[in-house]
Structures are given as structure tokens and as C-alpha cells.
Amino acid sequence: MTRWAEYDPGAMIAEFERHLGEVATVRFSQITAGALVRRHVRSAFDQARIRGAEVEVHEQRGLVESMFSVRMRGTAGQLVPSLRYLAALFD
């Protein structure tokens, strides 16, 4: 088990790649996305579900932005593509 105090997509993806066959749980207590980006954030979580990952998402919608809290459980193949997409969105 590896824990990070802050979201570090590069380190997280590297850790997944070192342990390809293992199942891991990723939690984000707060992801804030603006009105134009929140649809893409939801899409990243849906893609992880399609690949077979367990994904729990709670969204609090506001007028200008949404706040997501997320728990995803799966293998590298199920989660890494979505993590890369999220990293690109918030880069």
C-alpha cells in the first residue's frame, strides 16, 4: 500500500506500472472541476467502470464548479488510462 498526501499522477501511474497484476484502491477526497470540465471528469470515471473497475463517485454540483469525491478499485489496466486522462485535464 502506498499513500500520498497530495495527488501526484506521475508517481501514482509509476507505482501501478511496477505492480501490474495487483488490485489497488485510489481515493480522491476532493477534485474540483469547472462547469466546462466536469463532463470530462465524469467520462474518465465511466471509462474506468467500462474497463471493469469498481468506481464510487459523489458529486456536489455548484453553479460554477463541481466537487467530486471518488473511490476507484481495480488493476493498472483498469485505472491507469483514466488517471492519465485526469492528469491531462488538470495539467
Side-chain angles (χ1 to χ4, degrees), residues 1-4 11 15 18-19 25:
M1 177 185 296
T2 305
R3 292 181 186 255
W4 291 280
E15 188 71 24
R18 280 191 292 250
H19 305 282
T25 301

Side-chain angles (χ1 to χ4, degrees), residues 52-72:
E54 297 174 26
V55 181
E56 294 177 23
V57 179
H58 301 283
E59 179 181 3
Q60 294 179 341
R61 288 185 97 168
L63 287 174
V64 179
E65 60 188 21
S66 288
M67 187 170 54
F68 297 88
S69 73
V70 183
R71 181 190 158 280
M72 298 189 294

Side-chain angles (χ1 to χ4, degrees), residues 2-87:
T2 305
R3 292 181 186 255
W4 291 280
E6 295 181 14
Y7 174 63
D8 183 1
M12 193 177 295
I13 291 167
E15 188 71 24
F16 267 113
E17 290 173 348
R18 280 191 292 250
H19 305 282
L20 288 175
E22 295 181 24
V23 174
T25 301
V26 177
R27 293 179 191 187
F28 302 112
S29 59
Q30 181 178 341
I31 296 176
T32 303
L36 299 175
V37 178
R38 62 182 162 208
R39 178 179 62 111
H40 298 288
V41 173
R42 281 189 230 113
S43 173
F45 300 135
D46 289 341
Q47 289 300 315
R49 281 187 189 106
I50 289 168
R51 289 184 191 95
E54 297 174 26
V55 181
E56 294 177 23
V57 179
H58 301 283
E59 179 181 3
Q60 294 179 341
R61 288 185 97 168
L63 287 174
V64 179
E65 60 188 21
S66 288
M67 187 170 54
F68 297 88
S69 73
V70 183
R71 181 190 158 280
M72 298 189 294
R73 181 172 172 78
T75 63
Q78 295 168 333
L79 298 179
V80 168
S82 294
L83 293 174
R84 284 192 176 128
Y85 186 67
L86 289 171

